[in-house]
Amino acid sequence: MKQDYLHNSSLHIAIIGSRSKTAEAIVRILQAETTWKLTLFSSGTKQVKHDDRLSFYPIIYDDSKKNKEIFLKILPDIIINTAALTNVDFCEENREQTWQINVRWVEFLLHICKITDAQLIHFSTDYVFDGNKGPYMETDAPNPVNYYGKSKLAGENICKVSNINCSIIRTNVVYGFSSYRHSDFVQWVLAKLRENKSFQVVTDQYSNPTLADDLGLAVYKIIQKHRQGIYHIGGGEWLNRYEFARKIAMTYNYDPECISACTTADIRQKARRPMRGGLITLKAETDLGIKPAAPEAGLLTLRRQFQMLDLSSEYDK
């Protein structure tokens, strides 16, 4: 490895998928805690300019030649890949596009890491498991039940056999602040609550929803401590979607009785879901020294972030 991360104040970090909630959280903590140079990549044209420490590049995921030229020009020490197709039903029906982003793109990044001697930090999901006995530890055997999960497991496996310095962060049900107003489960629930009409949420899909800021902290700790391998980062409470939706309503001063319970069979999703998913975070807590937020604390953090930007009226009753 070309850098001593623990004592280097001038690391160059490339962050892929910079318009994602996870990437924004990573940028926030790295800007607050380090002097490292950050280069952000996104397929979107709009970029929020945080400060002069950041540089931006547009990216076309199937243009390997152009992308390679950019990476060889900037020579990052660490590449953080938050880019993925994550809409589970879309992935089920658009398999070639899913494979291009979730697998071939990872192959490309590993190729770049091999040339430049960079570390890769890659994001994955609890959907690599079948959901029969969650929450899961890092050592549990994957067995995905839908194409999204299969593509993410393929990306993981490429990392594992690459002989590249890699860290894989599995997470689930990520929610958090977005400068780009990107939706997530929390925003979907709030939008439904604002309509003041009854709507259904499933009671049989379990997870431990993850505040994006905790993912940012995990990335910082992995770099700071020079860690490799798989880490599970999830929230501090394992619960079903219906229970989480009610916590969202109460945190944002809406009536939780607008939310009615249903099962996954009732809503007929196109792709099969791992019903008892979620992640055990003991390894991350002991090795990285982080304590993921429980839903109430995470939702309050998100509410404060919107209030700081005077956007609370869009989410509070």
Side-chain angles (χ1 to χ4, degrees), residues 24-65:
E24 283 202 85
I26 294 168
V27 170
R28 282 196 298 272
I29 191 165
L30 294 187
Q31 285 186 306
E33 300 293 335
T34 78
T35 60
W36 301 339
K37 180 179 179 181
L38 308 179
T39 299
L40 310 185
F41 292 82
S42 174
S43 59
T45 56
K46 177 186 176 184
Q47 289 285 356
V48 173
K49 182 68 173 177
H50 298 271
D51 63 32
D52 292 335
R53 288 176 53 194
L54 304 182
S55 57
F56 300 93
Y57 284 94
I59 199 161
I60 300 174
Y61 288 105
D62 58 0
D63 190 347
S64 297
K65 181 179 179 181

Side-chain angles (χ1 to χ4, degrees), residues 57-266:
Y57 284 94
I59 199 161
I60 300 174
Y61 288 105
D62 58 0
D63 190 347
S64 297
K65 181 179 179 181
K66 180 64 175 178
N67 295 332
K68 186 175 181 179
E69 290 175 358
I70 295 172
F71 281 107
L72 294 183
K73 174 183 176 182
I74 68 171
L75 294 176
D77 302 296
I78 299 171
I79 298 174
I80 302 170
N81 183 39
T82 75
L85 286 180
T86 60
N87 184 312
V88 180
D89 292 331
F90 179 89
C91 290
E92 199 71 20
E93 297 186 326
N94 297 271
R95 298 192 172 193
E96 175 58 31
Q97 187 176 353
T98 299
W99 198 261
Q100 173 65 35
I101 302 299
N102 293 357
V103 183
R104 293 196 186 101
W105 175 248
V106 182
E107 288 181 316
F108 169 77
L109 291 178
L110 289 166
H111 173 66
I112 295 298
C113 287
K114 186 173 184 179
I115 295 173
T116 63
D117 194 23
Q119 176 184 358
L120 178 65
I121 300 177
H122 174 64
F123 277 84
S124 191
T125 172
D126 69 331
Y127 272 41
V128 299
F129 299 109
D130 56 25
N132 291 334
K133 60 169 189 174
Y136 291 91
M137 299 180 65
E138 289 86 352
T139 53
D140 287 324
N143 183 34
V145 298
N146 53 48
Y147 195 77
Y148 166 65
K150 291 175 182 177
S151 70
K152 294 301 290 181
L153 179 59
E156 284 190 14
N157 288 337
I158 294 168
C159 291
K160 291 175 184 177
V161 301
S162 67
N163 293 319
I164 299 298
N165 180 5
C166 291
S167 299
I168 296 170
I169 297 176
R170 292 181 182 142
T171 189
N172 68 145
V173 192
V174 177
Y175 65 97
F177 175 78
S178 171
S179 299
Y180 306 96
R181 311 295 178 88
H182 288 168
S183 187
D184 55 30
F185 182 74
V186 172
Q187 309 305 334
W188 177 80
V189 169
L190 289 172
K192 290 291 186 181
L193 289 167
R194 287 197 296 275
E195 296 174 358
N196 199 30
K197 297 178 182 178
S198 178
F199 64 99
Q200 293 182 317
V201 179
V202 296
T203 59
D204 53 356
Q205 293 184 29
Y206 283 80
S207 61
N208 49 329
T210 311
L211 179 65
D213 297 69
D214 287 334
L215 296 172
L217 180 59
V219 167
Y220 172 57
K221 292 290 187 178
I222 285 172
I223 297 172
Q224 183 187 50
K225 293 175 177 288
H226 205 171
R227 294 295 193 258
Q228 301 181 42
I230 298 175
Y231 286 91
H232 283 182
I233 308 294
E237 183 178 349
W238 191 68
L239 71 175
N240 64 49
R241 293 292 183 106
Y242 173 76
E243 293 168 330
F244 187 37
R246 287 181 63 87
K247 289 180 184 288
I248 295 167
M250 290 183 283
T251 300
Y252 286 85
N253 302 317
Y254 287 96
D255 182 5
E257 299 309 314
C258 290
I259 307 168
S260 60
C262 69
T263 67
T264 298
D266 294 328

